[in-house]
Amino acid sequence: MSTIVKNRITSIDFLRGTIMIIMALDHVRDYLYSGSFLFDPLDLTKTSGILFFTRWITHFCAPIFMLLAGTSAYLIGQKKSKKELSIFLIKRGLWLVFLEMIVVNFAWNFNIAFPMFLFVTIWALGISMVILSAFIHLPKRLILGICIVIVAGHNLLDNVHVEGNSIAAFGWALIHDQRFFTWHKEILLVGYPIVPLMAVMPLGYCLGAWYTAGYDADKRQRNLLILGSLAIVLFVTLRYTNLYGDPVKWSVQKDAFFTFLSFIKVSKYPPSLLYLLVTLGGAFLFLSFTEKLRGYVVNIISVYGRVPMFYYLIHIYVIHLIAVIASALIPGQDWKIWFLTKPIWFTTNLKGYGFSLPIAYLIWTAIVVALYPLCKRYDAYKQANKQKWWLSYL
């Protein structure tokens, strides 16, 4: 059976839908799990196995979303000239930056005064699209070579920092140094520096050549299996040596299980080489294993993958609103604290609020299920109105 169904590639939609669903788990944990306000779930001195993996599994979301955005750009480019694609990527990239600064930031904070701006996933996606708009004019082999060098070599910059609250420090943070800044009482968090994520989307663009209509599906499946396996083997080899690829080394812990957790605990901000090897390697394997997978579950999950931005924007507002309602119902809590004036992780007066991890999982499941009808309806609307240009921006 062909992997092309009604001009959509099922395995790509399935993977994108899977990571969108997993992503919501992380945000439910942030806003509704009681332990989120006490310690980092990846802190091996305080966490449990299930809590660690609740956070760790969401590491796959952002880089895979970047990769698949590049692949989608390549496929869109099959119907456009390079100039038309470049203009589209610039406009959509700038639109995403606007969404991050206004619509998404308000969703995180519920504060119309905008006391903080978070430069996280959507901003990095938007800037990467703008950068991709230039990359597409280069030969694919050159794009591939440049991006591999960036991904493989950027950890050489790990010890380069610009101290202080200056424009130069902020500029360097945007490039390669996650940091908080405070200017005129405004809080700025650079969560996702653009290096190396700016190289992941062009890698996805190169991957798009394997998904053109004339490419043999069996060959694609085999290539993805080889590529994913090589990435995982390289991850294990580099990680074991502790020589390069991540600023935080693994170490022997209190038992074998926690030593394993230390081994797979890789740096996300900015994404280290080892982080990208394990997440993108997992993506390639997933695409290979699901190349010909079909069925009811695949169809449902793929709906979320066909309307990712629509789902992303709505789910943040829903989760934050549930947090407000929960605080209003829990004795001793003040719902007004959810009109945040500082990042949620520093909101110490939330101690005592929240639910157990099993309840958080139930809420996550309920939210994902509840959003399905909306996503399905919007997906149907998009499919029936492809001529409407604005639909490609949401």
Side-chain angles (χ1 to χ4, degrees):
M1 182 183 295
S2 171
T3 50
I4 311 298
V5 179
K6 295 183 180 180
N7 297 320
R8 297 291 305 197
I9 300 170
T10 303
S11 57
I12 288 180
D13 288 335
F14 184 40
L15 175 55
R16 188 186 285 115
T18 300
I19 64 169
M20 297 308 291
I21 291 171
I22 291 172
M23 174 196 62
L25 174 61
D26 198 36
H27 299 154
V28 168
R29 181 194 57 78
D30 273 336
Y31 279 82
L32 296 166
Y33 169 58
S34 58
S36 294
F37 318 106
L38 303 177
F39 60 87
D40 180 357
L42 298 181
D43 184 343
L44 297 181
T45 66
K46 299 177 181 178
T47 194
S48 64
I50 185 63
L51 180 56
F52 179 95
F53 281 107
T54 298
R55 170 59 173 156
W56 183 85
I57 191 63
T58 64
H59 280 9
F60 287 78
C61 299
I64 293 177
F65 197 68
M66 293 280 180
L67 182 81
L68 297 184
T71 303
S72 296
Y74 185 90
L75 297 176
I76 291 171
Q78 301 302 294
K79 303 174 183 178
K80 298 178 182 285
S81 68
K82 286 289 180 68
K83 180 179 179 180
E84 289 171 335
L85 178 59
S86 189
I87 292 172
F88 170 75
L89 289 170
I90 292 171
K91 290 193 296 185
R92 191 163 195 265
L94 294 177
W95 167 245
L96 290 175
V97 173
F98 170 80
L99 281 181
E100 178 80 293
M101 293 300 103
I102 305 301
V103 181
V104 178
N105 268 296
F106 182 75
W108 291 130
N109 305 317
F110 274 15
N111 192 328
I112 197 64
F114 286 93
M116 69 190 94
F117 288 96
L118 311 179
F119 294 75
V120 282
T121 308
I122 304 304
W123 112 272
L125 184 71
I127 294 299
S128 294
M129 280 190 179
V130 173
I131 293 171
L132 179 61
S133 72
F135 266 110
I136 66 171
H137 297 283
L138 301 175
K140 283 198 289 294
R141 287 188 178 182
L142 182 56
I143 297 173
L144 192 62
I146 292 172
C147 292
I148 288 175
V149 168
I150 292 172
V151 169
H154 82 94
N155 284 115
L156 295 172
L157 302 174
D158 287 344
N159 294 321
V160 178
H161 306 284
V162 179
E163 302 300 332
N165 226 31
S166 64
I167 293 292
F170 180 65
W172 179 245
L174 292 177
I175 295 172
H176 195 265
D177 197 7
Q178 183 200 33
R179 279 191 59 191
F180 279 97
F181 293 87
T182 303
W183 287 338
H184 306 291
K185 297 183 180 181
E186 195 80 28
I187 298 173
L188 305 178
L189 165 62
V190 179
Y192 273 120
I194 60 172
V195 176
L197 287 176
M198 58 166 283
V200 173
M201 193 178 292
L203 289 175
Y205 180 83
C206 295
L207 178 67
W210 289 357
Y211 283 94
T212 52
Y215 202 91
D216 181 74
D218 290 331
K219 182 179 179 182
R220 174 171 58 241
Q221 186 175 20
R222 184 170 59 253
N223 288 348
L224 288 165
L225 178 61
I226 293 171
L227 185 59
S229 299
L230 287 175
I232 298 301
V233 168
L234 184 56
F235 162 75
V236 172
T237 303
L238 285 175
R239 189 58 167 161
Y240 181 77
T241 64
N242 256 347
L243 293 177
Y244 179 76
D246 198 282
V248 179
K249 311 302 182 184
W250 71 276
S251 59
V252 175
Q253 301 294 312
K254 60 184 179 182
D255 57 37
F257 177 69
F258 273 82
T259 297
F260 171 70
L261 297 187
S262 176
F263 191 86
I264 64 172
K265 180 185 173 183
V266 285
S267 300
K268 184 177 182 179
Y269 307 107
S272 68
L273 167 61
L274 296 181
Y275 173 98
L276 291 177
L277 284 174
V278 73
T279 54
L280 297 184
F284 299 138
L285 293 176
F286 186 101
L287 290 170
S288 177
F289 296 149
T290 62
E291 174 73 29
K292 300 176 182 179
L293 190 63
R294 298 292 181 271
Y296 184 68
V297 173
V298 172
N299 292 338
I300 290 176
I301 293 176
S302 295
V303 168
Y304 299 98
R306 289 194 292 270
V307 292
M309 190 55 61
F310 176 81
Y311 167 86
Y312 181 89
L313 294 175
I314 291 178
H315 96 282
I316 302 173
Y317 279 90
V318 169
I319 292 170
H320 198 156
L321 184 60
I322 291 174
V324 174
I325 295 172
S327 289
L329 297 177
I330 296 175
Q333 292 294 321
D334 181 4
W335 60 271
K336 298 184 184 69
I337 61 177
W338 284 106
F339 297 92
L340 298 171
T341 57
K342 55 185 176 180
I344 187 174
W345 312 284
F346 299 153
T347 309
T348 54
N349 57 344
L350 284 171
K351 291 179 179 178
Y353 156 86
F355 303 94
S356 67
L357 196 58
I359 296 298
Y361 267 84
L362 287 175
I363 295 172
W364 164 60
T365 303
I367 290 172
V368 171
V369 171
L371 291 182
Y372 177 75
L374 284 176
C375 292
K376 186 175 182 180
R377 179 168 292 187
Y378 182 64
D379 178 40
Y381 181 80
K382 286 186 70 175
Q383 297 304 314
N385 295 273
K386 292 182 179 180
Q387 75 283 1
K388 295 184 178 181
W389 64 269
W390 60 269
L391 287 172
S392 62
Y393 289 84
L394 186 58

